[in-house]
């Protein structure tokens, strides 16, 4: 159990600012994901929280206690490394037992934890092997088990499932979530996979160029993106920019309505699945991609191309003219991004 | 089958030649130690007489102990100096590159030149004497050359071999990825625990290799001994050379050669085991 | 990323110490080699009274130094070429083929490195003696080639293992003859390794003392044996200084070239972190 508060964390490497004032609160027992493009500073933030990097500014507190100056070995957190970082000279079981032994956990308790994790993560056949003899996915599970074995208040996951196949990934992901609920640790979880982030988290933090651009519950992030970056990064979004007058913006497709105050230069967006067939927007079908339950249709008018999601039964072909509409509650006005 | 022949043909000029040559040399040494190929022509045929001759000589045992002492001290000191420096230079910082290049510089200096340089510096009118006398530390120059403790030889061996140990050890230390050490720290291992449980076991092999190679090299030393060593003692190699060269006793020299190889072998095994033991014990400490 | 003043101070200090450690001996050697034969450099003088190149020309004219240099510098390139040629097939097998007992062979080829030099030298001499083979020059050449083969095999094995099979396959796929496959896929990767192997054998052959001393005695000289003769019972310091410099300076330059080559022969990735 640990409530983590990070305030105004900044990190520089030489002149490059990898983090530029990150604020983050992870409630005790919550599951927080960090999502963002490669190089946006996710690993760097985890390294600060774990204590490997001293931030050039800002403070960290766990349960109200300042831990900014504490060395990693004295913090109540464990990290599951992006590069696994297994100890090459120790067997799988010894790797997993390393943390409990360092923290002087009783011997039989250590054995119990190791056995339990080895079973849960499907490593029973490999417990005696050295890491080099394992596949990438197996190594990744050992790294996961090693971090969980310490039973810390805070677990930091750096893309822990990136090397597993789709099925195993699903299984291990559920395993992590169940363990987290049982044991109750706070999880900070880095991923590239937005579906994973939306499915797992209590809170999603979307990072961009060293800052958290938006954080909130998965639904908030999806349905109420605040900036163009967020709208674009999570799911697909159709974007328009122009003058909003009386809640209406005219686009090459027709007039879109939006519940937002007027402005000279406003950016709005809508999700492909918000479109309804029939209405006063229209364009020519440029491409069609059948996805089973639905069809992705790319419609263009003038210089703009938008993407619609329509029911799978609908039969459209390239060259058709499609009439559609977007209800005003499906249109979101965006703010200018802090770091364009 | 065809493949085996092909491999054999490929290996013949390289490994094959090396093994034929070294095998012939080794066979010759062992055979001569047991009385075969006696050039003096007095007797020919298997005999233990030469062992008897050599192993009852005081001078031989003195040389044996001396070589063992020099080799062990040189290996241990060189590694003891190189290891902390390799650890310290694991992460680059300002000046660390220049420093490691300078540490490796003696590798470029042939042993005989190193011996000359040392003798030149510590001789009666060498730099050290002149400097200390000039600085008023010593009233008059002292004799340091050919000291009876062999400090000059050990110093030379260390000077020459330390860079080699440094090369091996820093290779091993640098091959430990940062995240591995971070992971250990993250799981609660402090500085000393990281050293004992991660760094030491991961560098054991390199340390053993460095100790063994330096030991073997120093045990077979001839030139440092004859240039900078005390005149009253022989090293195994110089004793062997003097038996063969000035006394023409090839068979006696062969016995010394076999004993030198035995010394190298057992020294190597001993040092390897010692390192293993230390690593184990330190790793077990709670 | 903390900057530690401790590191900076300590490394500065050590660099200073190392400079003294390296500069003093070499400085002394240089000074001694320049002492003029007419005026000795003796005890109370801090510096030699008179400097000249007299000693160098004297050595050149009146000792066997020119012959020794000729011997050393003709043995070394031949040993280098010989070792590289003989090492090639084995290195190919080590670097590109899998076969039973490979690890054993790879260890066995290192035997000359752990055999004490004087044991090899004396019993090689004993063999030559039995065979009645008294031509010292070729004997020493053979000895150098065999004793230094392990270095060539090691370096070339790495080079061969760096040749990419897909490039070889692509060349063959495009219909290249064995010779052009070698030129296209092998040679560019092997070239630095070949140079490096040649250079290391060259350097170590120049430095080699035991074999040249034992097999060459009493009158066949190389640079190290001539240096040894000035170091032994009759320590002639200025002469030794001249020979020491002749031995060490070219080798240092060659070693620096070698270092460059080895770096390009082993591109990053062999000890990649991660
Ligand atoms: N030690 C370092 N020195 C200099 N720059 C660094 C260092 N570590 C990270 N960076 C830079 O900081 C930025 C953030 O790196 P970070 O590893 O946190 O990215 P990330 O979000 O984890 O990316 P990925 O998803 O690819 O893992 C990158 O631009 C990276 O180049
Ligand atoms: Mg990362």
């Amino acid at each position: 159990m640990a409530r983590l508060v990070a305030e105004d964390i900044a990190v520089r490497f030489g002149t490059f600012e990898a983090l530029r004032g990150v604020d983050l609160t992870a409630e005790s027992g919550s599951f927080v994901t960090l999502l963002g493009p490669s190089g946006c500073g996710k690993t760097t933030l985890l390294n600060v929280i774990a204590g490997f990097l001293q931030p050039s500014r800002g403070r960290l507190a766990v349960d109200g206690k300042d831990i900014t100056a504490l060395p990693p070995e004295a913090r109540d957190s464990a990290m599951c490394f992006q590069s696994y970082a297994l100890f090459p000279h120790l067997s799988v079981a010894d790797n997993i037992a390393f943390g409990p032994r360092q923290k002087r956990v009783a011997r039989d308790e250590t054995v119990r934890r190791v056995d339990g994790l080895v079973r849960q993560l499907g490593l029973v056949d490999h417990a005696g092997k050295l890491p080099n003899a394992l596949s990438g996915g197996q190594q990744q599970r050992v790294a996961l088990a090693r971090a969980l074995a310490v039973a810390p208040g805070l677990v930091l996951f750096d893309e822990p499932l990136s090397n597993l196949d789709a099925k195993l990934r699903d299984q291990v992901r559920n395993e992590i979530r169940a363990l987290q609920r049982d044991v109750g640790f706070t999880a900070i979880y880095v991923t590239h996979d937005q579906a994973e982030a939306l499915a797992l988290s209590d809170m999603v933090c979307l990072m961009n160029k060293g800052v958290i651009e938006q954080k909130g519950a998965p639904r908030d992030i999806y349905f109420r993106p605040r900036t163009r970056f967020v709208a674009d990064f999570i799911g697909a979004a159709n974007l328009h920019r122009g003058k909003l007058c009386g809640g209406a913006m005219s686009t090459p497709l027709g007039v879109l309505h939006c519940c937002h105050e007027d402005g000279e230069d406003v950016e709005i967006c809508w999700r492909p699945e918000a479109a309804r067939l029939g209405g006063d927007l229209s364009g020519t079908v440029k491409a069609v991609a059948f996805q089973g339950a639905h069809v992705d249709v790319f419609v263009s008018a003038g210089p703009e191309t938008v993407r619609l999601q329509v029911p799978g039964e609908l039969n459209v072909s390239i060259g058709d003219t499609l009439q559609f509409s977007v209800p005003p509650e499906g249109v979101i006005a965006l703010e200018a991004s802090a770091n364009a | 089958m065809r493949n085996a022949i092909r491999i054999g043909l490929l290996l013949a000029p390289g490994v094959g030649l090396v093994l034929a040559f070294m095998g012939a040399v080794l066979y010759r040494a062992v055979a001569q130690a047991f009385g075969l190929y006696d050039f003096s022509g007095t007797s020919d045929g298997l005999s233990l007489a030469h062992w008897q001759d050599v192993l009852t000589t005081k001078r031989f045992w003195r040389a044996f102990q001396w070589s063992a002492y020099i080799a062990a001290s040189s290996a241990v000191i060189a590694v003891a100096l190189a290891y902390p420096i390799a650890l310290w230079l694991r992460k680059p910082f300002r000046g660390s590159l220049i420093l490691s290049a300078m540490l490796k510089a003696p590798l470029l200096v042939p042993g005989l030149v190193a011996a000359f340089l040392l003798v030149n510096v510590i001789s009666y009118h060498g730099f050290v004497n002149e400097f200390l006398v000039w600085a008023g530390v010593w009233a008059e120059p002292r004799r340091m050359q050919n000291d009876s403790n062999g400090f000059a030889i050990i110093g030379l061996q260390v000077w020459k071999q330390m860079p080699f140990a440094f090369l091996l050890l820093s290779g091993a230390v640098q091959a430990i990825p940062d995240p591995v050490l971070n992971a250990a720290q993250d799981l609660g291992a402090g500085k000393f625990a990281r050293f004992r449980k991660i760094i030491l076991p991961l560098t054991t092999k390199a340390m053993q290799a460095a100790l063994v190679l330096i030991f073997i090299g120093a045990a077979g030393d001839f030139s440092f001994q004859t240039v900078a060593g005390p005149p009253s003692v022989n090293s195994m190699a110089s004793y062997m050379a003097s038996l063969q060269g000035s006394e023409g006793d090839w068979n006696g020299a062969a016995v010394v050669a076999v004993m030198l190889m035995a010394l190298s072998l057992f020294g190597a095994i001993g040092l390897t085991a010692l390192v293993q033991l230390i690593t184990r014990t330190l790793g077990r400490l709670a | 990323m903390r900057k530690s003043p401790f590191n900076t101070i300590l490394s500065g200090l050590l660099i200073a110490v190392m400079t003294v450690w390296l500069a003093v001996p070499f400085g002394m050697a240089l000074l001694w080699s320049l002492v003029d034969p007419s005026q000795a450099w003796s005890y109370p003088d801090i510096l030699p009274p008179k400097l000249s190149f007299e000693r160098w020309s004297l050595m050149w004219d009146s000792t066997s130094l020119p012959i020794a240099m000729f011997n050393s510098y003709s043995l070394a390139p031949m040993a280098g070429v010989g070792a590289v040629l003989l090492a090639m097939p084995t290195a190919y097998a080590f670097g590109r083929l899998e076969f039973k007992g490979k690890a054993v062979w790879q260890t066995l080829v290192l035997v000359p490195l752990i055999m004490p030099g004087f044991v090899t030298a004396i019993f090689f001499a004993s063999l030559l003696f039995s065979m009645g083979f008294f031509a010292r020059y070729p004997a020493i050449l053979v000895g150098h080639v065999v004793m230094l083969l392990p270095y060539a095999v090691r370096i070339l094995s790495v080079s061969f293992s760096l040749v990419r099979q897909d490039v070889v396959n692509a060349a063959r796929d495009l219909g290249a003859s064995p010779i052009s496959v070698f030129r296209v896929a092998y040679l560019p990767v092997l070239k630095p390794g070949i140079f490096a192997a040649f250079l290391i054998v060259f350097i170590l052959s120049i430095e080699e003392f035991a074999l040249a001393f034992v097999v060459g005695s009493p009158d066949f000289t190389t640079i190290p044996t001539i240096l040894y003769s000035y170091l032994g019972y009759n320590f002639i310091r200025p002469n030794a200084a001249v020979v020491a410099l002749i031995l060490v300076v070219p080798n240092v330059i060659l070693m620096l070239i070698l270092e460059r080559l080895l770096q390009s022969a082993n591109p990053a990735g062999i000890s990649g972190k991660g």
Side-chain angles (χ1 to χ4, degrees):
Chain A
M1 286 292 166
R3 178 173 188 270
L4 172 78
V5 178
E7 279 170 11
D8 195 30
I9 300 292
V11 169
R12 15 167 101 247
F13 295 115
T15 58
F16 175 73
E17 283 195 294
L19 293 180
R20 304 183 290 159
V22 169
D23 290 299
L24 174 68
T25 302
E27 293 302 335
S28 183
S30 68
F31 201 106
V32 176
T33 45
L34 300 177
L35 191 63
S38 187
C40 69
K42 304 181 295 289
T43 300
T44 307
L45 181 55
L46 287 195
N47 281 335
V48 169
I49 297 174
F52 305 133
L53 274 177
Q54 205 54 38
S56 52
R57 182 175 87 215
R59 62 186 286 277
L60 284 169
V62 169
D63 293 333
K65 233 178 56 211
D66 192 311
I67 59 157
T68 321
L70 232 49
E73 60 266 37
R75 297 187 185 192
D76 182 28
S77 62
M79 177 135 147
C80 177
F81 286 80
Q82 187 167 16
S83 56
Y84 318 149
L86 300 178
F87 306 130
H89 58 301
L90 298 181
S91 70
V92 167
D94 285 336
N95 259 284
I96 302 174
F98 188 92
R101 283 184 188 149
Q102 283 306 317
K103 307 247 163 171
R104 323 221 160 210
V105 174
R107 189 167 294 211
D108 45 349
E109 168 66 9
T110 304
V111 171
R112 209 182 52 74
R113 282 189 203 169
V114 172
D115 283 352
L117 284 164
V118 160
R119 208 153 349 94
Q120 271 168 317
L121 292 170
L123 294 166
V124 179
D125 295 339
H126 313 296
K129 293 188 186 168
L130 288 180
N132 277 344
L134 301 180
S135 74
Q138 289 161 346
Q139 291 184 24
Q140 197 156 40
R141 281 177 278 156
V142 178
L144 197 59
R146 189 180 63 180
L148 295 174
V150 204
L154 182 63
V155 185
L156 310 170
F157 297 94
D158 200 350
E159 302 188 33
L161 309 181
S162 57
N163 250 328
L164 307 186
D165 62 60
K167 199 163 156 225
L168 199 56
R169 180 190 298 225
D170 235 33
Q171 183 202 326
V172 176
R173 184 196 292 160
N174 293 335
E175 209 68 84
I176 293 178
R177 194 59 165 128
L179 260 166
Q180 192 249 346
R181 287 213 182 90
D182 286 355
V183 183
F185 57 80
T186 307
I188 313 272
Y189 189 100
V190 167
T191 177
H192 268 138
D193 180 343
Q194 41 157 313
E196 191 167 283
L198 295 177
L200 277 176
S201 340
D202 299 313
M203 179 163 89
V204 177
C205 299
L206 204 70
M207 291 186 67
N208 185 23
K209 296 182 185 161
V211 293
I212 294 185
E213 184 118 352
Q214 186 174 353
K215 59 189 165 219
R219 286 171 181 281
D220 268 357
I221 297 276
Y222 189 80
F223 289 116
R224 277 181 290 284
R226 271 212 301 274
T227 62
R228 178 194 179 115
F229 170 79
V230 178
D232 215 26
F233 195 82
I234 303 268
N238 296 305
L239 296 151
H240 305 280
R241 187 169 192 160
K243 184 175 163 186
L244 192 64
C245 179
M249 181 185 288
S250 63
T251 72
L253 297 155
V255 177
L256 274 163
H257 293 276
C258 165
C259 321
H260 191 265
E261 56 194 81
D262 293 351
E264 272 305 308
D265 182 18
V266 177
E267 193 159 26
I268 58 174
C269 88
W270 49 279
R271 298 287 181 198
E273 66 272 18
R276 304 274 168 275
L277 287 175
D280 45 9
L281 298 173
S282 75
T284 315
V285 175
K286 278 280 182 278
V288 179
F290 179 64
Q291 304 279 2
H294 66 263
V295 186
D296 279 332
V297 184
F298 295 84
V299 172
S300 69
E304 293 195 21
T305 299
V306 295
R307 175 170 166 170
L308 317 180
Q309 223 172 64
V310 299
E313 333 50 276
L314 188 82
N315 216 340
V316 282
S317 34
I318 294 173
D320 292 355
T321 299
L322 197 69
Q323 298 277 328
F324 66 97
S325 63
V326 182
E329 56 284 7
V331 180
I332 312 147
L334 301 172
E335 300 163 8
S337 173
N339 50 139
Chain B
M1 194 58 219
R2 285 239 335 253
N3 202 34
I5 293 173
R6 192 167 75 107
I7 300 283
L9 286 176
L10 284 171
L11 295 187
V15 194
L17 178 63
V18 164
L19 289 182
F21 183 94
M22 297 312 293
V25 166
L26 197 62
Y27 165 73
R28 180 50 82 124
V30 175
Q32 285 198 313
F34 287 98
L36 298 176
Y37 308 108
D38 192 335
F39 297 140
S40 62
T42 44
S43 70
D44 215 351
L46 279 175
S47 92
L48 288 176
H50 302 287
W51 286 87
Q52 175 118 28
D53 284 352
V54 170
L55 296 189
T56 51
T57 318
K58 255 225 186 89
R59 215 168 131 217
F60 166 77
W61 286 110
R62 186 86 184 85
F64 189 87
Q65 285 171 3
W66 179 258
S67 281
Y69 153 73
I70 296 284
S73 324
S74 309
V76 171
I77 295 175
V79 169
L81 283 176
Y83 200 36
I85 300 180
L87 284 178
W88 175 49
L89 294 181
R90 196 180 90 83
K91 281 225 161 145
F93 52 85
R94 244 186 75 200
S96 67
L97 275 183
I98 307 177
L99 192 57
S100 72
M102 291 180 94
L103 282 168
K104 288 184 225 152
L107 276 180
L108 311 186
V109 181
L112 277 172
V113 175
F116 164 69
L117 293 179
L118 178 91
V119 168
N120 199 12
V121 168
I122 66 166
S123 67
Y124 198 71
H125 295 311
F127 180 82
V128 174
N129 266 323
E130 302 232 338
F131 181 79
L132 288 174
V133 170
W134 172 80
V137 180
W138 287 351
E140 56 179 41
R142 297 187 189 181
R143 185 173 173 78
M144 293 182 284
Q145 225 176 315
N146 310 100
D147 66 297
S148 60
N149 289 315
F151 293 150
I153 310 177
I154 296 177
L156 272 172
Q157 291 286 4
V158 171
W159 194 84
K160 186 84 181 86
Q161 307 277 24
M162 204 267 274
F164 177 65
F166 174 73
L167 216 63
L168 277 174
L169 287 167
S170 64
V173 169
Q174 274 162 14
I176 305 175
D178 281 337
V180 166
L181 290 176
N182 280 345
Q185 193 177 11
D186 191 46
L187 295 170
K191 243 193 162 90
F192 189 53
R194 290 202 293 278
F195 174 72
R196 283 188 297 119
K197 298 196 164 173
I198 311 294
I199 297 177
L200 197 57
L202 286 176
T203 49
T204 303
K205 285 241 171 67
M207 198 160 38
Q208 288 169 329
L211 281 171
V212 164
L213 290 173
I214 297 176
F215 183 92
I216 293 178
D221 165 62
F222 171 87
S223 41
F224 289 173
Q225 176 67 34
T226 51
V227 172
S232 58
V233 198
N234 278 118
S235 72
M236 289 293 271
S238 73
Y239 186 48
M240 177 173 67
S242 79
L243 279 183
Q244 175 264 320
S246 40
E247 297 173 30
D249 180 6
W250 290 85
N251 305 79
V255 173
V256 179
V258 173
M259 287 302 284
L260 171 55
M261 289 187 276
L263 172 64
S264 302
L265 183 67
F266 289 113
I269 293 173
L271 285 170
T272 311
L274 185 71
V275 172
Q276 199 72 35
L277 193 74
I278 293 175
T279 309
R280 283 262 176 81
T281 321
L282 281 176
R284 284 243 183 79
L285 284 180
Chain C
M1 298 288 106
R2 270 162 295 164
K3 276 195 199 106
S4 141
F6 168 78
N7 275 351
T8 320
I9 293 168
L10 192 59
S11 69
L13 210 70
L14 260 172
I15 288 176
V17 170
M18 288 301 290
T19 312
V20 174
W21 188 239
L22 296 169
V24 166
F26 280 105
M28 296 269 302
L30 192 63
L31 278 182
W32 271 105
S33 77
L34 295 176
V35 171
D36 194 88
S38 65
Q39 271 178 304
W41 180 16
S42 56
Y43 169 47
D45 303 327
I46 296 293
L47 287 174
K50 188 176 172 202
L51 295 179
S52 73
F53 280 103
E54 199 55 33
R55 181 73 58 175
W56 289 73
S57 54
L58 206 68
M59 290 276 299
W60 185 262
D61 293 336
S62 64
T63 69
S64 54
L65 183 62
I67 301 167
M69 283 180 71
F70 170 79
N71 285 340
S72 280
Y73 278 97
S74 60
L75 274 170
M78 283 196 273
V81 171
V84 166
L85 287 180
L86 290 170
M88 280 286 219
T90 298
Y92 173 80
F94 285 170
R96 302 201 63 74
L97 305 177
E98 286 308 323
F99 50 92
K100 259 219 329 258
K102 181 166 144 182
V104 177
W105 294 114
Q106 277 174 315
T107 314
L108 281 177
V109 80
L110 302 179
V111 165
L113 303 188
I114 55 166
M115 192 80 129
F118 264 77
V119 173
T120 312
I122 289 179
F123 295 95
F124 180 48
S126 156
L127 276 172
L128 294 171
F129 190 68
S130 288
M131 293 189 297
F133 189 88
F134 296 110
R136 300 213 192 80
Y137 191 103
I140 293 174
L141 179 60
V142 169
H144 279 189
V145 167
V146 177
M147 291 211 300
L148 303 176
L149 250 178
Y151 295 97
V153 169
R154 288 296 290 232
I155 292 174
L156 289 171
S157 300
V158 174
S159 294
F160 268 110
S161 73
L162 291 175
V163 174
R164 290 175 44 171
Q165 189 59 42
D166 51 358
V167 178
V168 176
N169 289 348
R172 287 171 64 175
D173 190 48
L174 296 171
S177 64
I179 290 175
S180 29
V181 169
F182 182 80
R183 275 224 334 258
V184 168
Y186 284 87
L187 203 54
V189 184
L190 292 183
K191 228 193 253 162
I194 293 176
F195 272 117
F198 172 80
L199 264 185
I200 191 130
V201 175
F202 185 97
I203 293 168
L204 293 175
S205 159
I206 297 252
E207 293 181 12
E208 203 281 333
F209 170 65
L211 198 83
F213 179 70
V214 172
V215 175
S217 72
D219 52 3
F220 184 86
T221 56
T222 62
I223 303 176
T225 61
I226 217 173
L227 173 58
Y228 183 75
S229 73
Y230 292 128
L231 287 180
Y233 303 108
N234 46 344
F235 181 32
I236 309 176
R237 205 186 308 202
N239 289 7
V242 169
V243 184
L245 288 172
I246 289 177
L247 183 53
V248 82
V249 172
N251 273 17
V252 168
I253 294 166
L254 290 175
M255 270 285 190
L256 295 178
I257 298 173
L258 178 71
E259 178 116 343
R260 280 282 150 79
L261 284 173
L262 282 178
Q263 266 162 17
S264 62
N266 299 319
I270 287 181
S271 68
K273 299 196 169 186

